[in-house]
Amino acid sequence: MQKKLKLLLQLLSDGKYHSGTILGNKLKLTRGAIWEIIKHAKKYGIDVEAKTNLGYRIPGGLELLEKKSITKHLKHKTGFDSENLLIFDELTSTNAYVMDLVKTNTTKKYICFTEHQTAGRGRLGRTWISPFAQNIYLSLSWQFSHEPHELSSLGLVIGIAIIDALKKYGIKNGLSLKWPNDVLWEKRKLAGILIDLFGETHHVYNAIIGVGLNVNMAKKPGEKIEQPWCDIAQIVNSQPQRNKLAGLLLNSLLTTLTTYQKYGLKPFIEKWKNLDLTYGKKIALITPKQKILGTSLGIDEKGYLLLKDHREQLHHFAAGEVSLRFG
Ligand code: BTN
C-alpha cells in the first residue's frame, strides 16, 4: 500500500469529516492529489464518503492494527518473542507468507497479521474475502513432535480457542462450532480456520495455523461470501475494537496451543461437546466419495466425527463437510 494512502487513512481513522484542504496541507499534497488517493482507497474496499463543504470521512472510523495495542492483551508468556509478531498492510495470504518464512528460517514461532489479503485462502480451495482493515487475518507457526495424523484434531482446539477469546471480548451467547472447524454465531459463519502442515526435520512438524475472523465487513465485500455469515459488529451492535480482539485471540491461541502440545485433545473434548452445533442432530456428511445421512454424536478421542446411520451403525470420519438437515 502507498505510504500516502496509509497516512491518509490514519487521518481519517476517527470517522469524522476532514476537508480536502486540511488533508492536503497535512500530507503536503494538492486537493486533486488527495482525491486520487481516495479513489485508490476505494479499490481496497474502504468506504470513504465525500460531502460538499464537509470533506471526507470513513463512516464508523477505522482502527488499524498496532503491535503495542495487540500485545498489551497478551498474558501468555511462554516461548513468544514479540519481534516475531509481524503486521503488514497487504499480503497475498498470511498462511502463504508464514509458510515461506518457516521454510527459510529456523526461528520457531512467527505470528503474522495483515490488513488485507489479495489471495486469502479458505478451506477446500475456496477464497477468503479479505478487505482492508475490516477483519482479522492472522497466521502463526507452531512446531510439534506429533506425527501429522495425530494433528488432525488441531483445528478443533483452535476453534475452541477462538470462542474463548470471543467470550473474553464479551460475546456470551450464540457461539458454536461446526465440525471440523467453523466458528459460528447463530448458525452463521463468523470465523474460519485453515491449517497447513508440512515438513519433517528430526521429527519436527510445522503447522501454519490461519484464522480469519469477520469483524466489521463492509456491505460490498460481504456480498461475495457464498454462505450465511456474520461479523462482530452485527453481534455487539457497536464499533468493534480490532486490536483488542486481535490481542485476545492471539493470547487464547498461544495458551491453547501450549496445552494441546502437552496433553493433546483430551482436555478439550468436553468443551468441544458443549459448543458442538450439530450434536444429537440429523446431519449429512459429505466427502468427495459419498454423502452419508445420520445423527451426529460429536467427536471421538482423535477428533473424528461420530455419525450414527439409520441402521444404528457408528461411523468415524477424519474429513468431510457437515451440513445440518432439517425435517
Ligand atoms: C475456511 O474456509 O473456513 C478457512 C478460512 C481461513 C482464512 C484465514 S485468513 C488468514 C489465513 N490466511 C489465509 O489465506 N487463510 C487464513
Side-chain angles (χ1 to χ4, degrees):
M1 173 178 272
Q2 296 172 5
K3 213 169 159 203
K4 294 275 180 200
L5 173 55
K6 184 86 186 280
L7 290 172
L8 183 73
L9 292 176
Q10 273 156 356
L11 292 174
L12 293 173
S13 64
D14 59 6
K16 296 183 181 141
Y17 280 108
H18 296 262
S19 80
T21 314
I22 290 178
L23 291 172
N25 288 343
K26 286 193 176 151
L27 296 179
K28 300 195 173 39
L29 292 170
T30 63
R31 280 170 54 197
I34 293 287
W35 172 233
E36 284 306 314
I37 301 177
I38 300 265
K39 279 203 284 195
H40 208 69
K42 287 182 192 270
K43 279 195 199 141
Y44 280 92
I46 306 162
D47 181 19
V48 186
E49 208 178 81
K51 238 191 188 140
T52 331
N53 299 329
L54 286 173
Y56 303 105
R57 70 161 187 159
I58 297 175
L62 193 75
E63 188 185 319
L64 295 172
L65 294 175
E66 278 172 16
K67 196 168 183 166
K68 248 194 185 159
S69 315
I70 293 176
T71 49
K72 81 170 182 217
H73 297 283
L74 290 186
K75 306 266 177 300
H76 184 90
K77 296 278 183 278
T78 55
F80 165 68
D81 180 351
S82 79
E83 267 196 15
N84 292 347
L85 193 159
L86 311 165
I87 302 176
F88 295 91
D89 292 334
E90 182 176 278
L91 287 176
T92 52
S93 147
T94 51
N95 264 41
Y97 184 83
V98 173
M99 172 99 78
D100 284 349
L101 265 186
V102 172
K103 280 185 176 164
T104 49
N105 292 277
T106 47
T107 317
K108 283 182 186 163
K109 286 173 187 140
Y110 286 103
I111 293 158
C112 165
F113 289 90
T114 189
E115 295 287 11
H116 170 51
Q117 296 187 120
T118 54
R121 284 166 48 218
R123 286 180 62 238
L124 309 169
R126 295 183 188 126
T127 300
W128 190 255
I129 305 296
S130 311
F132 187 86
Q134 291 166 25
N135 304 309
I136 289 173
Y137 321 112
L138 136 80
S139 296
L140 61 90
S141 59
W142 200 271
Q143 297 194 309
F144 291 96
S145 50
H146 309 57
E147 299 282 326
H149 70 267
E150 291 176 70
L151 293 174
S152 61
S153 55
L154 177 56
L156 306 184
V157 301
I158 298 299
I160 294 174
I162 297 172
I163 292 203
D164 281 346
L166 295 175
K167 286 192 173 161
K168 286 220 169 75
Y169 186 74
I171 303 170
K172 303 287 182 215
N173 301 311
L175 292 163
S176 64
L177 292 168
K178 183 160 81 69
W179 190 89
N181 40 27
D182 281 349
V183 177
L184 309 167
W185 183 78
E186 302 287 346
K187 298 189 186 153
R188 288 183 284 150
K189 185 140 167 177
L190 177 61
I193 300 158
L194 180 72
I195 295 178
D196 291 310
L197 296 172
F198 74 95
E200 184 240 337
T201 32
H202 311 295
H203 301 289
V204 171
Y205 297 88
N206 289 294
I208 310 296
I209 299 153
V211 175
L213 171 67
N214 297 334
V215 178
N216 196 4
M217 183 85 79
K219 200 166 168 255
K220 257 217 165 125
E223 281 165 4
K224 293 190 205 138
I225 303 177
E226 288 162 348
Q227 58 183 318
W229 64 274
C230 69
D231 62 13
I232 302 289
Q234 294 168 32
I235 301 172
V236 298
N237 239 321
S238 61
Q239 193 64 19
Q241 296 165 267
R242 269 193 337 130
N243 283 293
K244 183 173 177 185
L245 274 164
L248 292 175
L249 185 58
L250 185 54
N251 189 60
S252 184
L253 289 171
L254 294 172
T255 311
T256 302
L257 280 163
T258 307
T259 308
Y260 179 73
Q261 187 162 34
K262 266 195 192 157
Y263 307 108
L265 179 64
K266 211 169 176 200
F268 299 97
I269 291 186
E270 198 53 32
K271 220 168 181 181
W272 168 272
K273 199 173 157 184
N274 294 331
L275 293 167
D276 185 355
L277 174 74
T278 65
Y279 192 90
K281 302 217 171 76
K282 288 199 162 54
I283 59 163
L285 190 274
I286 301 147
T287 72
K289 284 192 193 147
Q290 56 182 345
K291 179 175 175 177
I292 299 199
L293 306 180
T295 305
S296 162
L297 290 182
I299 54 170
D300 66 11
E301 75 286 352
K302 286 184 183 158
Y304 292 5
L305 178 81
L306 289 170
L307 186 144
K308 191 172 69 178
D309 69 16
H310 65 283
R311 291 198 195 91
E312 300 285 300
Q313 207 180 334
L314 200 57
H315 302 262
H316 299 243
F317 287 97
E321 278 285 281
V322 169
S323 72
L324 263 173
R325 282 159 62 211
F326 301 100

